[in-house]
Amino acid sequence: MSNTLSQREVLDIATSIGFYILKYGGETNRVEDTARRLGLAYEMDEVHVFAISSSIVITMVKDGKSLSETKRVIKQETNLDRVEQFNALSRTICETLPSYDEVQSNIKEIESRSLYPFWISVFAYSLIGGSFAIFFGGGLKECIVSFLVGFILRFVMHVADKLQSPLFFANVAGSAATVILVQLAAYIFPNLNTQTSTISVLMLLVPGVLLTNCIRDFVATDYTAGLSKIVEAIFVASAIALGVGVSVLWR
Amino acid sequence: MLIDMFPPFISALFATFGFGLLYNIRGKNLIAAAFCGAFAWMVYLVADHFTESMVIPYFISGMSIAFYSEIAASVFKAPVTVFLIPGIIPLVPGLTIYRTMETCLFGDVSGFAQGLVNTLKIGAAISLGLILISSVFRLLRTASKAKKTV
């Protein structure tokens, strides 16, 4: 029951699936590989894909006619569940070669999968803050403070997100808020180990996806994509340092 | 030694679990990802116990996360990064980075240089461990694919 799709339709499928994997935090290599497989599965003669963290370009050649499409990723949002779903979808497509409409409805179905509600992310922030306080050798006091500061930090980041503040500013605000809140908590709990509490909460701002994908890009020899991620990571790190600096001056 | 390892194990487990929630990982994958971070940190602590070096434990635990993630990925039929991304978090040397930042703010240039070099050394150790194992698995995959097509 294999369907034959027009070049336009195949290109459209490959571009949108590649776009979603990129947007939800898949590695560059996974995006390129997926799009290439999809094109070749539907019997395109040649498929050329180039992706970096902010855009994807695909060109497909069939019977000497080439067609190309590009999509720009404006804002990445990490959702590894959807990366997994789209990855699985592309595998099934390559095996069963479904019709264009079927693929579109599959994509819609994945896009409508539920996200964790907001309170789960509030809980996660608090949990991470509290756990890292123990992890860095803190006691019960540090754990409680980091738990609460993590709780508040989620709302700070939420406001920054709602105001569509640039990544740099969001990190400055987040780390400044962390340091100030921990300093305030030190008034309530005398002899609180402020360093442990601060680091525990700042771990929340570590760009884990960026670092890991950067390393994965280098493994896959996508040096352009990897290099841009290193620059972004340094950028985020300086923002956090700036936030800490600003609030230390306040002290 | 076993009792000493309990609090770090539990805290690394919960912290990684929290990051899994933030990255929207679900179901079995979430549990497996949480254990990835805890496992990597245990490997770090054991390695740290047996060597004086600062970077070797990070190198070994970097290898261990990559290994764990590759195995988990083939067991749960999910992308490697689902386990790798949360798993790497406990290894991020938060304390070293924070101290480096502090020395920079207070104008302690030699302390800052020292901290920066240490941070880079740790970062390089983790990524090299990871790259080594990932490359081996990548090689195995392409080799098995090449066999199939022949």
Side-chain angles (χ1 to χ4, degrees):
Chain A
M1 52 155 280
S2 67
N3 298 278
T4 44
L5 271 69
S6 72
Q7 191 179 359
R8 176 80 253 164
E9 288 172 333
V10 178
L11 183 61
D12 201 52
I13 289 173
T15 316
S16 36
I17 291 181
F19 168 77
Y20 283 124
I21 295 180
L22 197 58
K23 180 180 166 191
Y24 291 130
E27 318 97 289
T28 315
N29 185 250
R30 184 177 303 283
V31 174
E32 293 183 355
D33 202 45
T34 306
R36 192 171 48 245
R37 276 161 199 265
L38 284 171
L40 294 177
Y42 281 110
E43 291 171 343
M44 295 293 122
D45 297 333
E46 276 176 51
V47 181
H48 301 280
V49 193
F50 176 70
I52 50 173
S53 40
S54 56
S55 110
I56 173 170
V57 184
I58 305 180
T59 302
M60 289 185 180
V61 184
K62 172 88 173 170
D63 302 331
K65 209 180 95 195
S66 79
L67 214 56
S68 171
E69 194 171 320
T70 172
K71 255 193 184 193
R72 175 84 164 86
V73 180
I74 301 289
K75 192 165 188 266
Q76 288 197 315
E77 44 183 296
T78 308
N79 188 331
L80 296 178
D81 173 56
R82 289 195 186 163
V83 171
E84 187 194 342
Q85 295 299 324
F86 277 113
N87 196 51
L89 173 65
S90 80
R91 274 173 199 231
T92 2
I93 292 176
C94 289
E95 277 163 23
T96 59
L97 301 179
S99 71
Y100 181 74
D101 294 332
E102 226 172 298
V103 176
Q104 287 300 333
S105 76
N106 281 332
I107 291 177
K108 275 216 189 75
E109 196 185 305
I110 296 175
E111 274 295 282
S112 65
R113 275 171 77 90
S114 61
L115 297 162
Y116 281 127
F118 180 67
W119 68 265
I120 287 266
S121 71
V122 176
F123 167 72
Y125 264 65
S126 320
L127 180 72
I128 294 167
S131 313
F132 268 119
I134 304 288
F135 186 81
F136 288 123
L140 187 63
K141 235 182 317 186
E142 283 79 17
C143 180
I144 293 169
V145 170
S146 307
F147 187 90
L148 293 175
V149 176
F151 182 86
I152 300 170
L153 181 64
R154 180 68 192 101
F155 291 95
V156 174
M157 297 312 270
H158 184 67
V159 170
D161 201 40
K162 274 273 134 34
L163 296 175
Q164 297 188 329
S165 81
L167 184 70
F168 189 81
F169 185 75
N171 279 299
V172 174
S175 65
T178 304
V179 178
I180 292 172
L181 287 170
V182 171
Q183 292 299 335
L184 288 178
Y187 287 118
I188 304 164
F189 296 95
N191 65 44
L192 171 80
N193 188 341
T194 50
Q195 184 178 304
T196 305
S197 286
T198 313
I199 302 166
S200 316
V201 183
L202 285 182
M203 287 300 279
L204 278 161
L205 300 175
V206 169
V209 182
L210 209 58
L211 293 174
T212 316
N213 280 348
C214 170
I215 299 170
R216 299 276 303 169
D217 281 350
F218 280 108
V219 176
T221 66
D222 289 325
Y223 302 118
T224 326
L227 213 53
S228 70
K229 282 176 187 138
I230 289 188
V231 174
E232 199 177 338
I234 292 174
F235 195 66
V236 171
S238 348
I240 297 172
L242 185 63
V244 174
V246 167
S247 32
V248 165
L249 292 179
W250 170 82
R251 185 172 63 183
Chain B
M1 185 188 170
L2 221 58
I3 302 231
D4 290 345
M5 280 169 84
F6 190 66
F9 179 80
I10 292 294
S11 54
L13 187 70
F14 279 133
T16 319
F17 181 82
F19 271 97
L21 287 176
L22 289 185
Y23 297 147
N24 231 300
I25 304 172
R26 281 163 188 270
K28 276 180 291 183
N29 292 352
L30 180 58
I31 306 296
F35 275 99
C36 181
F39 168 71
W41 191 249
M42 286 303 98
V43 171
Y44 172 84
L45 287 181
V46 172
D48 194 41
H49 189 77
F50 288 107
T51 167
E52 292 287 295
S53 157
M54 182 185 76
V55 290
I56 288 178
Y58 280 106
F59 179 72
I60 294 175
S61 55
M63 293 202 311
S64 74
I65 345 172
F67 193 74
Y68 181 102
S69 306
E70 296 280 355
I71 300 291
S74 58
V75 172
F76 295 105
K77 303 260 180 299
V80 181
T81 39
V82 169
F83 310 100
L84 205 54
I85 292 176
I88 207 169
I89 298 280
L91 289 183
V92 173
L95 199 66
T96 316
I97 297 175
Y98 187 80
R99 288 209 179 118
T100 307
M101 221 147 67
E102 223 173 32
T103 51
C104 176
L105 287 171
F106 293 124
D108 173 8
V109 178
S110 64
F112 173 64
Q114 176 88 50
L116 198 64
V117 170
N118 282 346
T119 309
L120 291 178
K121 264 159 80 177
I122 294 170
I126 300 171
S127 16
L128 286 178
L130 221 144
I131 288 173
L132 183 66
I133 298 295
S134 304
S135 310
V136 169
F137 272 87
R138 210 180 145 77
L139 187 71
L140 290 177
R141 258 198 306 275
T142 43
S144 71
K145 229 175 268 166
K147 221 182 219 170
K148 258 179 218 162
T149 47
V150 165

